[in-house]
Amino acid sequence: MVELSRPVRKAGGVFDRLDTDWAVLCGDASVRAAVAGWLAADHLAVEVAEAAGSWTNALGPEQVLAALRPGTGMLSDALADSVLRALLLRAGGRGRAAALAARIVVQAMVPAAVRMVRGQVRPFGGRTFDDVADVVVAALYETACSGRIHTRPGRPAANLVLDTLHQVCRDLAADREPLGVPLPADDQVDPASGPADHVHAHAVRDAADAAGLRPVTSGEQEMDRARLELLELLLDAMEAGTLTPADGRAIAWHYTAVPVPDVRAAAAAGTSAGAWQRRRSRAVRALRTSLQPTAA
C-alpha cells in the first residue's frame, strides 16, 4: 500500500519528488479504485472521462489531473471547479482518503506553486528556490487539508492560492534570514511596504481579479494602500454574505482612481445606470452598517 504522508524535504527538490511520488500513486490499484469511487459518488465520472479522453472504468489520479488542468495546464473551467471543490471537501476529513485527496490537490496546483516560489525568492532574498519551494508546498498541503472552500466569488483555485500565499507570507516573514533583500517596488505595490506586505498585496490583487473587482476596462494600473484595503474589505464582506458579487463590483468599480462610468458598468451588468447607482448606494450603506461596532 502506498504511504500517503506529508511531503518532507529530501535531496532532489520538492517538485521532482512530487512528480516521482505522483507516478507511484497513479500506478497503485487501491488509489485508482478510491479515486474512481469518488468520481462516481460525486457524479463526475462521465465528465472527467470525457475531459481526459478515457473510459469511466479506467479512471485514476492522472485522469483527475487532466480534468483539473484543461488545455493550458491551468485550473480554468467549470468542471475543474467542481472536481477541485469535491477534492477539498474530502481533504478536510480524516484518514487515508483525506490525505489522498489533499495530495491530488497539491499535484494539481504544482504550476501555481512554482510561480509562487519564483515570486517569493526575490522578496525573501538569501533563500534558494528549493528553500522557498519547501515552504510553499508545505503551506499548500496544509491549506488543502483545511478543507476550507470559500463562499468568496471566484474560482476555488484562486482562493486556494490566496490562502496559501497568506500562509507562505507568514511563514517566511516569521523566519526571515538576516541577509534578506526586499524586492524593489513595482507599479502594484506601495513602495514603503516590506516583503510580507508585497506578498499580501499581490494575493489581494489576484483574489480581486478572480472576483471581478478590477475590470480591465477601468485602466487601473497602480494600487495604493487605501485601494488594497478597500478591495480586501469588499472580499471579506462578500465572503461573509454582507455584499453580493454585484454589490462588490458596484463599489469597487466606482471608488478607484479611474472609475468605470456608470453607463458602461450598468451595461456590463445588464441593467440601467440608475439601477446600478441605486445598487451602489445600498451596498455602501450595507457595508457601512456591517462595520459599525455592536453594543456590548
Side-chain angles (χ1 to χ4, degrees):
M1 179 177 292
V2 177
E3 179 67 23
L4 294 168
S5 59
R6 174 175 171 161
V8 295
R9 184 171 183 177
K10 299 176 182 177
V14 66
F15 294 117
D16 288 340
R17 298 196 303 275
L18 286 176
D19 288 342
T20 300
D21 177 62
W22 180 253
V24 175
L25 283 177
C26 291
D28 186 275
S30 66
V31 169
R32 300 188 68 83
V35 171
W38 297 349
L39 294 173
D42 294 333
H43 306 289
L44 293 168
V46 173
E47 290 180 273
V48 169
E50 290 177 353
S54 176
W55 299 101
T56 54
N57 61 357
L59 293 176
E62 64 268 45
Q63 283 73 38
V64 173
L65 191 62
L68 285 170
R69 296 184 189 170
T72 61
M74 301 290 290
L75 285 73
S76 58
D77 71 359
L79 177 59
D81 290 352
S82 297
V83 173
L84 183 57
R85 288 191 182 97
L87 287 171
L88 289 171
L89 282 172
R90 282 189 167 80
R94 295 183 179 181
R96 186 170 184 267
L100 175 57
R103 179 64 185 83
I104 296 174
V105 170
V106 169
Q107 192 70 25
M109 299 300 293
V110 162
V114 171
R115 292 191 296 272
M116 199 182 303
V117 173
R118 289 172 178 163
Q120 307 320 311
V121 170
R122 286 180 59 205
F124 295 91
R127 296 179 184 273
T128 67
F129 180 94
D130 286 343
D131 289 336
V132 178
D134 285 338
V135 174
V136 168
V137 171
L140 177 57
Y141 191 88
E142 289 180 7
T143 303
C145 287
S146 73
R148 183 182 184 191
I149 302 177
H150 285 280
T151 56
R152 176 185 296 161
R155 299 194 179 279
N159 291 323
L160 182 60
V161 169
L162 176 62
D163 286 348
T164 302
L165 270 172
H166 283 168
Q167 182 64 45
V168 169
C169 176
R170 288 192 294 267
D171 290 346
L172 290 176
D175 190 33
R176 188 181 178 200
E177 295 188 12
L179 297 179
V181 179
L183 178 67
D186 60 17
D187 64 350
Q188 298 289 346
V189 183
D190 186 335
S193 66
D197 292 328
H198 180 95
V199 175
H200 181 72
H202 280 275
V204 172
R205 182 199 64 190
D206 290 345
D209 286 341
L213 298 183
R214 298 181 63 227
V216 294
T217 55
S218 71
E220 180 179 65
Q221 296 296 324
E222 297 185 1
M223 292 180 63
D224 59 19
R225 191 177 300 277
R227 176 64 170 163
L228 284 169
E229 290 176 352
L230 173 63
L231 291 176
E232 187 168 18
L233 184 65
L234 292 175
L235 288 167
D236 289 342
M238 291 159 68
E239 184 175 345
T242 302
L243 300 179
T244 66
D247 291 340
R249 288 189 287 273
I251 295 175
W253 293 7
H254 182 73
Y255 294 102
T256 182
V258 185
V260 179
D262 286 335
V263 172
R264 185 186 304 170
T271 187
S272 68
W276 186 252
Q277 292 165 357
R278 290 191 293 275
R279 173 181 288 278
R280 182 170 63 246
S281 296
R282 290 194 299 270
V284 169
R285 287 197 298 272
L287 183 61
R288 183 181 296 117
T289 299
S290 71
L291 297 175
Q292 296 297 322
T294 56

